[in-house]
Amino acid sequence: MKKPAIEQSVEFQTSSGKTLRGVLHVPAAAHPHPAPAVVLFHGFTGNRMESHWMFVKCSRALAQVGVASLRFDFYGSGESDGEFRQMTLRGEIADGRAAVAFVRRQKGIDPKRVGLLGLSLGGAVAATLAPGLQAKALVLWSAVAHTARLGDLVKKKARKIPGKPGAFEYDARELHPRLMEDVLKVEPIRHIARYKRPTLIIHPEMDETIPVSHARDFFHAAGSEIKEVAIIAGADHVFTAVPWEREVIVRTVQWFGRHL
């Protein structure tokens, strides 16, 4: 019987003093140390568990093969400090940088063997950070390659908040007044072109949110000689079926197992 991994609630601060909260998964002591690790970035309006607990399942699967991981809430999401109306894309990039620094400081983790995994807008964060942080490997799920797409989606779905001039909401979450301006200043596909390490891009065939063309654009732009793109037949944006989810997690764990 395999010894269970340790799942520890953690909190850490960004360079600006914001407190972020998450869960650190550490492999059982039977695995060799120091262990490699993965930092998971959730999507827009998501949290560290993600849809149908997909991040929890992925972190536990990684731990079973000796890979630690941190899944955390961006500022203003989940249980981290702040309110969602303070969320900006560049703020999430700063949060991601702090999360990687936190993981690299942990006892028993090899700071040179840290990979990044991002879902949807979290994929844009991961792709943007990967070259500068010298991530050992990168995996993108349903990732946003062109941030103008997010701007289009938000504009389509956002509604004015009655009695609050100039304020908008998206799925019962008030938006930062300059969110769209901020989003358009980040272009993840330009950053992935500078990333030279193993890159796996997984995208749903029937993604209603981020077109599959984003995956192909990421693949062609990626600077690594070791790269793959996998299109999950019939799947929706967050892989909402047991076979789709299983395939995504298996591919991801295998990728990090080979390249971290």
Side-chain angles (χ1 to χ4, degrees), residues 2-7 24-33 35-38 40 55-70 249 253 256-257:
K2 290 184 178 180
K3 188 174 180 179
I6 297 170
E7 299 181 10
L24 183 65
H25 293 246
V26 181
H31 289 288
H33 285 283
V38 174
L40 289 73
F55 272 14
V56 181
K57 296 169 188 175
C58 187
S59 284
R60 289 175 176 170
L62 285 166
Q64 289 299 311
V65 298
V67 179
S69 64
L70 171 69
I249 291 175
V253 171
F256 285 128

Side-chain angles (χ1 to χ4, degrees), residues 175-248:
L175 301 176
H176 192 292
R178 293 187 299 278
L179 177 61
M180 293 303 97
E181 175 186 338
D182 173 74
V183 162
L184 295 175
K185 290 181 179 178
V186 179
E187 191 67 4
I189 202 162
R190 295 180 183 175
H191 293 274
I192 206 171
R194 297 188 293 109
Y195 185 64
K196 308 298 182 182
R197 296 184 177 180
T199 302
L200 173 63
I201 300 147
I202 304 177
H203 210 94
E205 179 189 31
M206 306 305 291
D207 195 330
E208 70 287 0
T209 304
I210 307 301
V212 73
S213 60
H214 283 232
R216 298 190 178 105
D217 289 346
F218 262 137
F219 177 77
H220 292 302
S224 177
E225 293 182 0
I226 303 173
K227 58 183 178 179
E228 292 182 14
V229 61
I231 308 302
I232 308 302
D236 61 9
H237 183 60
V238 290
F239 309 100
T240 317
V242 169
W244 300 337
E245 178 190 76
R246 183 184 298 120
E247 182 176 356
V248 171

Side-chain angles (χ1 to χ4, degrees), residues 85-259:
R85 62 184 175 83
Q86 297 169 293
M87 172 266 171
T88 65
L89 180 51
R90 285 183 294 182
E92 292 198 344
I93 291 168
D95 293 350
R97 190 176 291 110
V100 172
F102 172 78
V103 166
R104 284 177 165 158
R105 293 193 301 268
Q106 299 311 297
K107 182 178 178 181
I109 289 178
D110 187 341
K112 295 182 179 179
R113 299 168 65 200
V114 175
L116 306 182
L117 165 61
L119 168 67
S120 195
L121 188 62
V125 174
T128 300
L129 285 172
L133 294 180
Q134 299 183 328
K136 187 74 172 176
L138 174 66
V139 177
L140 305 178
W141 294 354
S142 312
V144 178
H146 308 288
T147 51
R149 172 64 179 176
L150 178 66
D152 292 341
L153 288 169
V154 172
K155 287 177 183 176
K156 183 177 180 180
K157 199 170 181 180
R159 299 181 299 177
K160 292 183 178 181
I161 299 177
K164 199 167 184 179
F168 288 84
E169 65 168 295
Y170 181 99
D171 280 351
R173 297 169 177 87
E174 187 174 346
L175 301 176
H176 192 292
R178 293 187 299 278
L179 177 61
M180 293 303 97
E181 175 186 338
D182 173 74
V183 162
L184 295 175
K185 290 181 179 178
V186 179
E187 191 67 4
I189 202 162
R190 295 180 183 175
H191 293 274
I192 206 171
R194 297 188 293 109
Y195 185 64
K196 308 298 182 182
R197 296 184 177 180
T199 302
L200 173 63
I201 300 147
I202 304 177
H203 210 94
E205 179 189 31
M206 306 305 291
D207 195 330
E208 70 287 0
T209 304
I210 307 301
V212 73
S213 60
H214 283 232
R216 298 190 178 105
D217 289 346
F218 262 137
F219 177 77
H220 292 302
S224 177
E225 293 182 0
I226 303 173
K227 58 183 178 179
E228 292 182 14
V229 61
I231 308 302
I232 308 302
D236 61 9
H237 183 60
V238 290
F239 309 100
T240 317
V242 169
W244 300 337
E245 178 190 76
R246 183 184 298 120
E247 182 176 356
V248 171
I249 291 175
V250 167
R251 284 179 178 271
T252 298
V253 171
Q254 289 176 345
W255 190 263
F256 285 128
R258 287 198 302 269
H259 297 294

